[in-house]
Every structure is written in C-alpha cells, then in structure tokens.
Amino acid sequence: MTSKLIVNAYHNASIIGLMYLRPATLFHRINTLPWYKGTLQTWSGSLRYRAGDSILEVGCASGQLTKHMSNLGAIAHGVDKSAKMLQMANASNTASAHFAQASALDLPFDNNRFDYILAASLINIISEPEMALREMVRVCKPGGKVTVLVPLAGMMDEDVANLANELDLSGFSRAALTAWHRRAPKMQREKLLEYFARVSLHHTSHITYLNGMVVAMTGSKRAAD
C-alpha cells in the first residue's frame, strides 16, 4: 500500500471514529474547513442582510456561521439540539451571537420574530422536514426569507473526486468532502420545492454550490401569513 493510500485510509478511519464516538467534534472540524466554511458564508451573504437585521440559524452546530453573521452586524441567534455543540459555540463566543438549545420542531421564539431563517444540512437529516420548515416560517417575519442548504442528489463519486482535485484538497479535508458525499442523505431539488410550496413559501429560488454538490433553496414568507 502506498503512503498516499495509507494517509487516506487513516483520515477515513478518523472520520468514521469521530462520527460514532465524538460527532460534535467531527461537525466542528468540518465547519472550519475552508471549502465548507466558504460555502456557508457565500450562501448567507447571498441574502444581502444588513446590520441590525435579525437572523436565526437552526441547527447551528458549534456556531461558526452564526458568529460570522453577528460579526457583520446582524442580530444573530443560533439553536441546536446538541448540548455539546452549544458548549463549543459558547466557549469561543467572542461576538454578540446568542445561542440556545432547542429542537428544530419546537423553536423557542415568538411568531414573526426574525428577518431571515437559515438551516444548513438539517432538512435532509431531520425526521419531520416539513414540520421543521413550518416552525421556521412561523418565527419568520412577513416578507422575510427562509433558506436551507442540503446535499443535492445526482453527484457521482467521480464528480466529487474532480471537485476535490479542483479545490486542491488533501488529508482530512478531502476525506471529509468524500464522506459527506457518500454518507449524508441527499435531496432532490423538486422535493425541496414541494416542501416550500406546502408551507406557503413563495418567490422561491435556488443556487448550487461546490459544482452542484449542494443546493440552497430560498423562499419568502407571505405578508398575510
């Protein structure tokens, strides 16, 4: 076995071990990888929020994106059901971001609270995606936006390998991209559109990132809701 294969096997084994033994640590490390961190920041920036806008990130993990938006002037809140994730978020919280432990199916906020609601890699893994979206719509202000980002069905192993080469990824970063592709549940764009229509989000649009590996779907809450 070549040294490259040995290194790849080591990182693949590390990811599998963290997935089962220390998932919070794994997700925290993935959230700091440039290819994933950059995707999240580009996605959130596409909303063109302004300083003073209220934003909720549902499934915030260790809070890097919530803190990024807070550093740019938003009034940013993050919720996650994992106490260990929130412990990490609060341990390094030097910004004015706010974190709380909560289920995506029962958000601890009043109706019509936030200008923007974001959820990355959540709708594709949660047991009740439509219910979670309804909760997001509930706490969104009329005219506000709900946006989700999920792995998109259709990418092949070869496509992901080409993407990793294009991004010049190696080591843990490359293994994480490959593991996300192979293990994370994927969604069809049409299914997301169906969910958005069911919860009465309109003016729906989508953007793909990472050469089509992920899709971000965004819709507006009707003023009458």
Side-chain angles (χ1 to χ4, degrees), residues 15 30 33 35-36 159-165 167 169 171-183 210 213:
I15 287 174
I30 290 175
L33 294 175
W35 61 265
Y36 191 67
D159 299 321
V160 176
N162 289 337
L163 173 62
N165 291 336
L167 297 175
L169 301 184
F172 181 86
S173 187
R174 187 183 187 105
L177 179 72
T178 303
W180 191 36
H181 159 63
R182 291 179 177 173
R183 295 179 177 273
L210 298 173
M213 185 176 179

Side-chain angles (χ1 to χ4, degrees), residues 43 56-59 79 103-107 109-120 122-124 126 128-142 144-149 196 199 201 217 221:
W43 163 54
L56 173 65
E57 183 185 6
V58 184
V79 297
S103 166
L105 305 180
D106 186 20
L107 297 173
F109 302 105
D110 293 335
N111 296 349
N112 307 322
R113 169 76 182 275
F114 297 97
D115 295 299
Y116 300 96
I117 319 288
L118 300 90
L122 176 72
I123 294 299
N124 59 308
I126 201 165
E128 298 287 348
E130 186 175 332
M131 185 182 299
L133 279 171
R134 288 191 185 279
E135 269 293 273
M136 295 179 206
V137 171
R138 179 184 67 78
V139 301
C140 185
K141 293 179 180 179
K145 292 184 178 180
V146 174
T147 182
V148 302
L149 183 142
F196 272 49
V199 300
L201 288 167
M217 188 78 69
K221 180 175 178 176

Side-chain angles (χ1 to χ4, degrees), residues 26-218:
L26 173 62
F27 295 136
H28 175 71
R29 289 189 64 182
I30 290 175
N31 283 339
T32 63
L33 294 175
W35 61 265
Y36 191 67
K37 180 180 178 181
T39 298
L40 294 184
Q41 291 184 0
T42 301
W43 163 54
S44 64
S46 72
L47 296 173
R48 298 185 179 180
Y49 59 86
R50 298 172 295 180
D53 285 344
S54 56
I55 302 180
L56 173 65
E57 183 185 6
V58 184
C60 66
S62 50
Q64 287 93 334
L65 181 59
T66 304
K67 294 173 190 177
H68 169 74
M69 295 184 292
S70 177
N71 286 333
L72 293 179
I75 303 171
H77 291 251
V79 297
D80 201 282
K81 70 176 184 178
S82 168
K84 286 193 175 294
M85 290 288 194
L86 293 173
Q87 185 177 13
M88 291 181 182
N90 285 309
S92 59
N93 186 15
T94 57
S96 56
H98 309 277
F99 296 101
Q101 187 174 7
S103 166
L105 305 180
D106 186 20
L107 297 173
F109 302 105
D110 293 335
N111 296 349
N112 307 322
R113 169 76 182 275
F114 297 97
D115 295 299
Y116 300 96
I117 319 288
L118 300 90
S121 300
L122 176 72
I123 294 299
N124 59 308
I125 64 172
I126 201 165
S127 60
E128 298 287 348
E130 186 175 332
M131 185 182 299
L133 279 171
R134 288 191 185 279
E135 269 293 273
M136 295 179 206
V137 171
R138 179 184 67 78
V139 301
C140 185
K141 293 179 180 179
K145 292 184 178 180
V146 174
T147 182
V148 302
L149 183 142
V150 298
L152 184 62
M155 288 285 280
M156 307 298 291
D157 287 351
E158 181 181 357
D159 299 321
V160 176
N162 289 337
L163 173 62
N165 291 336
E166 181 181 320
L167 297 175
D168 196 25
L169 301 184
S170 60
F172 181 86
S173 187
R174 187 183 187 105
L177 179 72
T178 303
W180 191 36
H181 159 63
R182 291 179 177 173
R183 295 179 177 273
K186 299 179 176 65
M187 295 189 72
Q188 297 280 354
R189 186 183 294 110
E190 292 74 17
K191 191 63 177 179
L192 275 176
L193 284 168
E194 180 183 328
Y195 282 139
F196 272 49
R198 286 182 181 176
V199 300
S200 298
L201 288 167
H202 70 140
H203 295 160
T204 302
S205 62
H206 72 272
I207 307 173
T208 57
Y209 299 100
L210 298 173
N211 290 357
M213 185 176 179
V214 296
V215 62
M217 188 78 69
T218 304

